[in-house]
Amino acid sequence: MKTIQAVARYLPEKCGGIQIRLSELLPVLQAYGVESKIAAAQDSKYENTYTHNGIEVYRYPVFPRPKAEPNHGESPHGRFEYFAHWLKEQKADIYHQHQWTPKCGLPHLRLAKELGMATVVSIRLPNPVCQRETLMLNGQEVCDGKIDRVRCSHCCGVSREISDTVIKRLAHTPLSISNLASGLLYQLKKAPAPLNTTATALLTPVSVPAYVVARRRGLLEMAEFADRIVTLSERLYETLLLNGVPQEKLIICKTGVPDVFLTSAQNVKKIPNKNLRVIFLGRWNRNKGLHILVEAVKSLPPDLPIELTIYGSAVDDERYRQKIIQSIKNEPRIRIAETLTREELPSVLATYDILALPAQWFDVRPMSILEAHTAKLPVLGSDVGGVNELIKHNVDGLLLPPTDVQAWAEAFARLSEDPNLLDKLRQGIQPVRTMSMEAADTVTLYKSILKEKAAQTESNFSNPLNFKQVISSR
């Protein structure tokens, strides 16, 4: 079985969880007889090919850099013909796309379908359904994820003084005009007031409603050209249904931790320490909520025994990082450590008492929770989608309001003052899903699609399943 795995960028560039997990999964799939090649975009005029972790990687050129909206890449990006030529030569059985951006979006998926490949799209982030890309309504509360041009427009900054009727009309603005308005707004954001505020008030309604409509259209076009859409969580599955994605296209296949994590974490012995040792893992990005942890620790009595160690990974927002650094200058209980490698992570995790995950967005399936549980660390997590599917409150962790600093501080105080609670949460941790399980389920998925495709070709009709498909446990 030959597969193409498509992403918007790839290692050894600085990448996020999507690329890291894929690089770990593909060698495991190889042991099941699945041959894979990576197709990844790069901001360049030229293509190139190399091998990473035993897998061939084709980097197709994207030039010039496409606009961020519509996010699914409604039109092919510059130099798309390089990707098209390469894909035609592969004659692969399966095309599996892991991102939904102008660099790796609808044109790529549509071409694979036209070439006769079985097509799969994995939705690993909320951006295909959410204009804010967080699934947090007004940035404050969990949203049901239904794409609505009026509600979504208000959520993304369109003034509530503009009537629903006007917003619905503005939603039909040609994308060329919306892109122009968006570009002007970007240029004027740093202009002095009142110019910047006037520009925001005038230009946001011209750009946002049309983008919301394009987002929903892109999602439904994804459903048209994908044989299966893979989700990683129950909540996201329900959100996709709510937005009109056919149930027979959807399947839940959850990610798992690399099997080596189990032995690496179990071989580390915790050194007794009077302090509550808290670890944070994640990018320097406000959506990760590190500022909530910092303020919570700083609000605790000076003599409360707690240590917070920040292992920041990629820097999405340098100003945010600098702000955090400035805020902890006089707080000896908080320190910033060097970024961990994947090899170091299991043994380092096992030396801490608890992982803190103050997500300020819908984190579809945060692997750090499973990695922490593998090392027998309970997790303090935000009570938001994705996170609350992996944490059982008061059993293997605690779920807290994402923006409530006082609630986080009180949780730290409880855990610091009551060691029995920490022991109880440790004992509540159950065995986690592994990458071997994920690989086996992925192979089952691929085989089922190919079998269905062969039957359709032979009989010239489809017989879609009419029930919710789940091929993975926790």
Side-chain angles (χ1 to χ4, degrees):
M1 185 190 305
K2 183 176 180 180
T3 75
I4 304 299
Q5 310 284 335
V7 284
R9 56 180 172 155
Y10 201 64
L11 304 164
E13 286 182 35
K14 286 186 177 180
C15 292
I18 292 173
Q19 291 82 6
I20 291 170
R21 302 299 186 278
L22 193 58
S23 73
E24 294 171 338
L25 176 64
L26 294 187
V28 184
L29 285 175
Q30 207 165 32
Y32 283 88
V34 177
E35 177 190 348
S36 297
K37 289 185 179 182
I38 293 285
Q42 62 180 2
D43 292 323
S44 171
K45 295 181 180 180
Y46 308 103
E47 61 187 345
N48 69 299
T49 303
Y50 57 87
T51 299
H52 183 85
N53 199 21
I55 304 296
E56 183 179 315
V57 181
Y58 169 68
R59 302 301 297 270
Y60 57 88
V62 176
F63 185 85
R65 180 178 292 188
K67 295 183 182 297
E69 295 284 359
N71 83 310
H72 61 283
E74 186 171 63
S75 301
H77 55 71
R79 309 224 164 184
F80 180 80
E81 65 273 12
Y82 284 81
F83 171 83
H85 176 73
W86 179 84
L87 191 64
K88 288 173 185 175
E89 289 187 330
Q90 300 310 305
K91 303 191 186 316
D93 302 300
I94 302 245
Y95 173 84
H96 191 159
Q97 188 165 308
H98 299 269
Q99 292 186 270
W100 196 242
T101 74
K103 297 179 184 179
C104 183
L106 178 64
H108 309 77
L109 175 64
R110 182 168 48 211
L111 175 63
K113 186 70 172 179
E114 291 170 353
L115 292 173
M117 300 177 192
T119 52
V120 183
V121 177
S122 285
I123 299 184
R124 302 172 180 272
L125 297 169
N127 64 305
V129 296
C130 178
Q131 189 66 29
R132 290 182 74 104
E133 302 188 356
T134 63
L135 275 181
M136 297 292 286
L137 186 62
N138 302 315
Q140 297 295 320
E141 58 184 286
V142 177
C143 180
D144 62 11
K146 182 173 175 58
I147 301 173
D148 179 274
R149 51 192 168 175
V150 174
R151 184 178 66 162
C152 295
S153 294
H154 287 317
C155 182
C156 292
V158 175
S159 171
R160 297 190 178 275
E161 294 180 1
I162 298 178
S163 71
D164 294 0
T165 302
V166 171
I167 289 177
K168 289 175 182 178
R169 289 175 181 168
L170 288 168
H172 296 289
T173 302
L175 286 173
S176 58
I177 295 176
S178 293
N179 284 332
L180 180 61
S182 180
L184 286 172
L185 182 58
Y186 178 79
Q187 293 176 25
L188 294 171
K189 276 206 169 180
K190 293 183 179 179
L195 180 58
N196 60 351
T197 53
T198 302
T200 298
L202 293 176
L203 296 174
T204 301
V206 180
S207 59
V208 171
Y211 286 158
V212 171
V213 170
R215 190 168 299 263
R216 185 171 190 276
R217 182 170 63 247
L219 181 65
L220 297 180
E221 287 172 326
M222 178 202 293
E224 178 185 351
F225 293 107
D227 292 315
R228 288 292 186 279
I229 296 175
V230 178
T231 72
L232 311 185
S233 76
E234 297 277 349
R235 165 73 195 291
L236 189 53
Y237 181 101
E238 299 299 331
T239 297
L240 293 171
L241 282 178
L242 192 63
N243 283 297
V245 175
Q247 190 170 27
E248 63 269 18
K249 294 279 182 132
L250 291 171
I251 193 163
I252 297 175
C253 183
K254 298 176 181 177
T255 47
V257 297
D259 296 64
V260 69
F261 270 49
L262 277 67
T263 52
S264 299
Q266 290 166 0
N267 290 335
V268 178
K269 291 185 178 179
K270 278 189 170 64
I271 300 173
N273 190 310
K274 64 183 180 65
N275 295 332
L276 177 71
R277 292 162 296 190
V278 183
I279 181 172
F280 169 86
L281 300 167
R283 302 191 311 274
W284 293 95
N285 185 307
R286 190 173 182 82
N287 286 336
K288 294 294 184 179
L290 179 55
H291 56 287
I292 300 295
L293 295 187
V294 168
E295 292 306 313
V297 172
K298 288 171 64 177
S299 71
L300 293 168
D303 59 345
L304 191 139
I306 185 172
E307 299 172 2
L308 169 61
T309 306
I310 300 167
Y311 288 93
S313 52
V315 180
D316 294 344
D317 187 338
E318 179 60 28
R319 284 190 296 179
Y320 179 73
R321 187 176 80 94
Q322 290 299 328
K323 187 175 180 180
I324 294 292
I325 291 172
Q326 289 297 319
S327 70
I328 64 175
K329 273 189 172 180
N330 298 316
E331 180 49 81
R333 295 174 295 181
I334 304 176
R335 73 181 184 94
I336 298 174
E338 293 293 325
T339 302
L340 294 172
T341 65
R342 293 293 288 166
E343 292 74 23
E344 294 171 327
L345 180 57
S347 56
V348 171
L349 265 174
T351 64
Y352 286 86
D353 297 312
I354 199 155
L355 171 78
L357 189 78
Q360 305 294 295
W361 67 311
F362 181 91
D363 201 342
V364 177
R365 184 170 170 84
M367 289 302 298
S368 58
I369 296 177
L370 296 185
E371 291 161 355
H373 281 175
T374 300
K376 289 297 179 182
L377 264 70
V379 181
L380 263 64
S382 294
D383 192 6
V384 295
V387 177
N388 56 22
E389 288 185 28
L390 291 175
I391 299 174
K392 294 185 178 69
H393 182 63
N394 218 31
V395 174
D396 54 20
L398 300 176
L399 291 169
L400 303 168
T403 60
D404 190 338
V405 171
Q406 184 177 349
W408 285 84
E410 289 173 355
F412 286 141
R414 283 179 60 202
L415 289 164
S416 178
E417 295 165 357
D418 184 3
N420 292 329
L421 174 58
L422 193 57
D423 288 339
K424 172 194 168 185
L425 297 178
R426 281 199 196 102
Q427 292 167 14
I429 296 172
Q430 299 299 307
V432 302
R433 179 170 168 81
T434 66
M435 193 162 278
S436 290
M437 298 175 187
E438 179 188 352
D441 288 342
T442 301
V443 174
T444 299
L445 168 63
Y446 287 168
K447 287 181 177 178
S448 68
I449 297 173
L450 291 176
K451 184 177 179 180
E452 182 180 299
K453 187 170 179 286
Q456 289 174 348
T457 301
E458 187 175 325
S459 60
N460 201 28
F461 75 93
S462 63
N463 183 26
L465 300 175
N466 291 317
F467 54 87
K468 179 177 180 180
Q469 303 174 81
V470 181
I471 63 170
S472 66
S473 61
R474 180 177 183 277

